[in-house]
Amino acid sequence: MRPNSQALKHGSSHDTEREFGGALGALCIPVSLPLTVLFLIGVSRSPEASVFQWPPPLPSTDQLWDPLALVLLLGWIALHALLYVMPLGKFHLFRRVPPVHPPPAPALSCVCFCPSGFHGLCVSCVLLLLLLVLGAPLGSLFELLVPLAACAIAASFLFSVYLYTRSFWVPSHALALGGNTGNPLYDFFIGRELNPRIGNFDLKYFCELRPGLIGWMVINLGMLMKEVELRGSPSLAMMLVNSFQLLYVADALWNEEAVLTTMDIVHDGFGFMLVFGDLAWVPFTYGLQASFLVVHPQALSPLGAATIIALNGIGYYIFRKSNSQKNQFRRDPTHSSVARLETIATATGKRLLVSGWWGIVRHPNYLGDLLMALAWSLPCGFSHLLPYFYVVYFTVLLIHREARDERQCRAKYGLAWDSYCRRVPYRIFPYVY
């Protein structure tokens, strides 16, 4: 859940600031990230589980392909595409300002939005329970992790090529400000078109919260069932990891309309960066703790488990309360829960919260996110660094995203943002950063 980003003042697309290292980053990242995914999966399944092992335990070419993996991946995406178009949720009508200035006529575009992701999660859970009752070997997902990841990586590249190609046939106001630089490598990576659609099917919104996020939970369940096959029952550590991450995904899908104000939707184009993140990075790296525990079981004491549960609960409370406060203020600043909060007026007509959760640090939701990330890793013990990859990665990601937010908010709100920063000097960690 990110703070709302801005529509920057329109100028030459070649003058737009390039993120993620510009053309060099756009060349290196699409190569390094797929290799990182395969490396991490290999490490999590190796007896040593050492991220410093040399040579690194990358899979051989014959391990990358299994036709069943391709069938499962395409079937999973097709299932959620079908659930996406079904009227399972309540429809809402939103008005969205096109990301250019001055905007083309009409100035506002209507967006029909059906928040059905939680229903998709529920349908998925019912289908998984049915498969378990029928005796389906869900534990075999452990052996299929590498070919599944390889298929997801290949699908990400092919889908990104399609998105880049189709972007040359859309009107200029449909392009993302940062993705129309004229450099093919960078534009392919960052995404030229802001919110590509096929009819009413929003491709970016579909990928943001559906196949990858729910697929992450399916993979976790597969790791749990593999542990049952090997040891007769799931360990407490495995159950905590599955429960914490299921709560996180369920929360995201229950509150999915909040994604419409995030940087990914409002500002970033839909290119390789987001496609790969949605379809490959999230499901195959966010759940590394579960695959690690299959090969490296951990014993948890009742006190240790209670402490980890408390940490996750505190992180979730901060995360949910701060996001709910922000979203309520955006929907209705006169609501009784936010009406008494202190604000700063801006030249855009919007007001910035300077009390409540957003008066403690500028990104309290990021703080809650990081506390939960730590709680997901602690059940894996302290003997290996690998389970803490997510914590390290997510800390770097959120600090980078916070810096992007900072630049955009300063450009949009000007002196009002400077005043807010003086009132709230800490960005994520109180009295630290």
Side-chain angles (χ1 to χ4, degrees):
M1 314 296 179
R2 296 92 158 174
N4 192 9
S5 58
Q6 56 155 347
L8 297 174
K9 186 175 181 180
H10 182 58
S12 170
S13 60
H14 298 273
D15 296 332
T16 304
E17 181 180 1
R18 299 187 183 186
E19 300 279 358
F20 302 98
L24 180 60
L27 176 64
C28 297
I29 293 174
V31 175
S32 60
L33 287 189
L35 291 176
T36 300
V37 170
L38 297 176
F39 167 74
L40 291 171
I41 293 175
V43 170
S44 71
R45 294 149 53 96
S46 68
E48 299 82 7
S50 172
V51 294
F52 302 111
Q53 181 179 343
W54 190 263
L58 289 174
S60 60
T61 52
D62 61 316
Q63 294 175 312
L64 294 174
W65 170 248
D66 189 315
L68 178 59
L70 180 61
V71 171
L72 290 175
L73 178 70
L74 295 180
W76 179 253
I77 294 174
L79 168 65
H80 282 278
L82 177 63
L83 294 175
Y84 179 88
V85 299
M86 293 177 65
L88 294 173
K90 292 194 296 184
F91 281 91
H92 300 285
L93 192 64
F94 289 84
R95 292 189 179 274
R96 181 169 58 199
V97 180
V100 295
H101 179 81
L108 295 176
S109 59
C110 293
V111 179
C112 204
F113 163 67
C114 178
S116 59
F118 188 78
H119 298 80
L121 175 64
C122 293
V123 171
S124 300
C125 289
V126 171
L127 292 176
L128 288 170
L129 287 174
L130 180 61
L131 288 174
L132 287 174
V133 170
L134 295 176
L138 292 182
S140 62
L141 286 175
F142 178 76
E143 285 77 23
L144 286 171
L145 266 184
V146 171
L148 278 171
C151 288
I153 290 167
S156 299
F157 274 102
L158 292 174
F159 190 31
S160 300
V161 170
Y162 162 75
L163 292 170
Y164 179 74
T165 303
R166 65 163 273 156
S167 69
F168 290 95
W169 278 267
V170 301
S172 59
H173 68 262
L175 300 178
L177 289 177
N180 189 25
T181 67
N183 184 306
L185 278 176
Y186 183 78
D187 293 346
F188 168 82
F189 169 73
I190 208 72
R192 292 189 81 242
E193 192 174 356
L194 184 63
N195 288 294
R197 289 168 168 261
I198 299 176
N200 290 325
F201 195 102
D202 191 317
L203 296 172
K204 184 203 280 188
Y205 182 74
F206 168 71
C207 290
E208 185 82 3
L209 289 178
R210 309 302 175 91
L213 206 64
I214 302 176
W216 170 20
M217 295 301 92
V218 178
I219 291 172
N220 275 0
L221 178 61
M223 301 306 102
L224 185 148
M225 295 308 300
K226 184 64 178 180
E227 194 176 56
V228 171
E229 290 178 17
L230 294 174
R231 302 181 185 98
S233 62
S235 65
L236 177 56
M238 179 70 81
M239 288 191 289
L240 288 183
V241 168
N242 269 255
S243 300
F244 292 162
Q245 295 180 355
L246 177 60
L247 171 64
Y248 188 81
V249 170
D251 177 270
L253 294 168
W254 181 260
N255 298 284
E256 71 175 305
E257 62 265 33
V259 80
L260 292 172
T261 62
T262 62
M263 182 183 295
D264 289 356
I265 298 294
V266 177
H267 180 265
D268 293 335
F270 194 40
F272 180 83
M273 178 185 72
L274 289 181
V275 171
F276 179 82
D278 292 339
L279 300 183
W281 186 259
V282 167
F284 294 101
T285 66
Y286 280 25
L288 281 172
Q289 298 91 348
S291 60
F292 171 86
L293 287 171
V294 172
V295 182
H296 308 88
Q298 303 290 319
L300 277 180
S301 68
L303 178 59
T307 302
I308 295 170
I309 292 171
L311 178 64
N312 190 77
I314 293 170
Y316 178 73
Y317 181 81
I318 295 171
F319 173 82
R320 174 48 35 221
K321 284 294 185 178
S322 59
N323 273 312
S324 296
Q325 187 177 80
K326 174 191 66 178
N327 293 330
Q328 182 59 61
F329 183 77
R330 285 176 177 166
R331 286 195 303 265
D332 180 13
T334 63
H335 191 272
S336 59
S337 63
V338 294
R340 296 183 180 180
L341 294 178
E342 188 178 353
T343 61
I344 294 176
T346 72
T348 66
K350 294 184 178 180
R351 304 188 71 86
L352 300 174
L353 284 173
V354 290
S355 63
W357 287 102
W358 300 87
I360 301 173
V361 291
R362 298 178 209 167
H363 299 278
N365 50 344
Y366 291 3
L367 174 61
D369 242 332
L370 291 171
L371 291 177
M372 285 189 288
L374 180 59
W376 300 354
S377 301
L378 287 174
C380 299
F382 301 99
S383 59
H384 295 84
L385 180 61
L386 177 73
Y388 293 87
F389 168 81
Y390 178 76
V391 182
V392 175
Y393 152 75
F394 210 51
T395 300
V396 174
L397 173 73
L398 292 183
I399 290 175
H400 176 264
R401 175 164 285 147
E402 185 277 331
R404 295 180 73 198
D405 290 341
E406 191 82 9
R407 288 194 299 271
Q408 293 170 15
C409 289
R410 178 163 283 107
K412 183 176 182 178
Y413 300 122
L415 295 176
W417 184 255
D418 292 335
S419 177
Y420 171 67
C421 292
R422 287 193 295 270
R423 289 285 304 272
V424 186
Y426 298 103
R427 301 182 178 205
I428 299 176
F429 302 100
Y431 305 103
V432 177
Y433 174 77

